[in-house]
Amino acid sequence: MPPEETATRIDGPASAAVPRTPRRLRHPDRFRARYGPWALVTGASSGIGREIAEVLAAAGLHLVLVARRRDVLLTLADELTDRYGVQARVVDADLATPAGVDAAVAGSTDLDVGLLVAAAGFGTSGSFLDADPSVEVEMLDVNCRAVLALTQRFGRRLAARGRGGVVLLASLVGFQGAPHAASYAATKAYVQALAEALHVEWKPLGIDVLAAAPGPVRSGFAARAGMRMTLAARPADVAAPVLNALGRRGTVLPGGLAKLLTWSLRPLPRPLRVRMMSVVMRGMLDESRTPGCD
């Protein structure tokens, strides 16, 4: 589900704290041997990206942390370094721009990166006709163009080393159209299809590719965006299940709610699933709030 509405962007609240007891990987040594020694995580300043960064640090992987706000990333890097004894490099970059993508790649060219986690992204919701075209295009740039560029460029590096992994953050809304979040769902459908294809295409190259399709997640965006998320998973409950699924399957539905929603919709014909998503998404909108206002 979309974690935010209108123009709310990639990075969450600056006050978000790193949890002291993150859920751990099942086999950290094996994971580190296959996907280490370095991992690059986009959207690392908040939400799922931040939680994934900590789970990776707890497993002993060094980190390249990518997001827009350098101050938040530096604080996170210091915390992870002090807590887990890993190295952490900060790259402040806006992935809505080609220069931002180039910066993310250039910031790790001297490192042996074995894992890419593309967690940066944002969503919009509400009337498609009333949406700001510039915001919709920006979302397309972050959610699709940047994912395409980073996946291909790091995929070449992983293929050259003969092993590695790629995790792409999709969404449950990407499995069918989602009225009232039409563009967001379309961007996540691209991510889902890309990951599914590369999961098969890159397996002979030694590269594991995973699509992570969570349901609603409490990432700090709902209050700012005027959305109601009474049933939502915590980012801390999503991160470890996603990473534990890498190399074992092509798509993971982290969290009980994600599985429940998927299983309940799966038997329905696609047109009916779209109608059901319309009901779900409308129920998450705060009609008393003017879109785009904070």
Side-chain angles (χ1 to χ4, degrees):
M1 300 295 177
E4 73 275 33
E5 181 183 351
T6 64
T8 306
R9 273 296 309 270
I10 301 169
D11 306 324
S15 60
V18 177
R20 295 185 180 278
T21 54
R23 294 182 62 180
R24 303 301 181 103
L25 295 179
R26 291 195 190 98
H27 306 288
D29 294 340
R30 188 185 310 168
F31 190 97
R32 187 172 58 252
R34 178 155 182 79
Y35 305 117
W38 285 83
L40 184 142
V41 182
T42 70
S45 62
S46 66
I48 297 174
R50 184 176 184 130
E51 297 295 339
I52 285 178
E54 177 161 19
V55 174
L56 291 172
L61 277 78
H62 306 303
L63 296 167
V64 180
L65 306 172
V66 180
R68 293 182 302 159
R69 294 177 299 164
R70 184 173 182 83
D71 57 338
V72 177
L73 290 179
L74 287 172
T75 299
L76 176 61
D78 288 342
E79 291 174 344
L80 296 180
T81 298
D82 292 343
R83 190 167 299 150
Y84 302 110
V86 298
Q87 300 177 56
R89 178 177 294 184
V90 164
V91 178
D92 54 310
D94 186 351
L95 297 180
T97 67
V101 174
D102 290 342
V105 175
S108 66
T109 52
D110 60 325
L111 304 175
D112 186 11
V113 174
L115 176 64
L116 166 67
V117 179
F122 75 102
T124 62
S125 60
S127 168
F128 181 77
L129 294 178
D130 295 335
D132 183 336
S134 65
V135 175
E136 299 298 297
V137 171
E138 184 181 17
M139 179 175 61
L140 192 67
D141 286 337
V142 175
N143 293 7
C144 297
R145 183 195 53 76
V147 170
L148 163 63
L150 290 171
T151 301
Q152 185 179 56
R153 292 168 77 169
F154 279 96
R156 288 169 177 163
R157 290 171 62 174
L158 298 177
R161 74 200 294 269
R163 62 181 174 87
V166 174
V167 177
L168 304 183
L169 262 292
S171 170
L172 287 186
V173 299
F175 293 126
Q176 68 284 299
H180 315 297
S183 291
Y184 176 76
T187 67
K188 292 305 182 178
Y190 171 81
V191 174
Q192 180 67 37
L194 179 67
E196 288 177 349
L198 296 181
H199 173 73
V200 175
E201 183 177 332
W202 286 1
K203 180 65 75 173
L205 303 178
I207 306 171
D208 298 323
V209 181
L210 176 71
V217 177
R218 296 191 202 115
S219 55
F221 294 110
R224 294 167 60 190
M227 298 187 72
R228 298 184 293 264
M229 289 189 182
T230 55
L231 295 176
R234 299 181 306 162
D237 296 329
V238 170
V242 166
L243 294 173
N244 281 325
L246 183 61
R248 299 173 55 241
R249 62 190 73 169
T251 297
V252 62
L253 308 172
L257 182 58
K259 294 179 177 63
L260 177 62
L261 290 172
T262 301
W263 291 337
S264 62
L265 291 173
R266 184 172 292 167
L268 302 178
R270 189 178 179 98
L272 186 54
R273 296 205 307 268
V274 175
R275 291 184 177 275
M276 291 298 295
M277 287 303 303
S278 177
V279 174
V280 171
M281 294 307 305
R282 183 175 289 279
M284 294 173 64
L285 298 178
D286 186 348
E287 300 294 346
S288 66
R289 175 169 170 159
T290 303
C293 297
D294 287 326

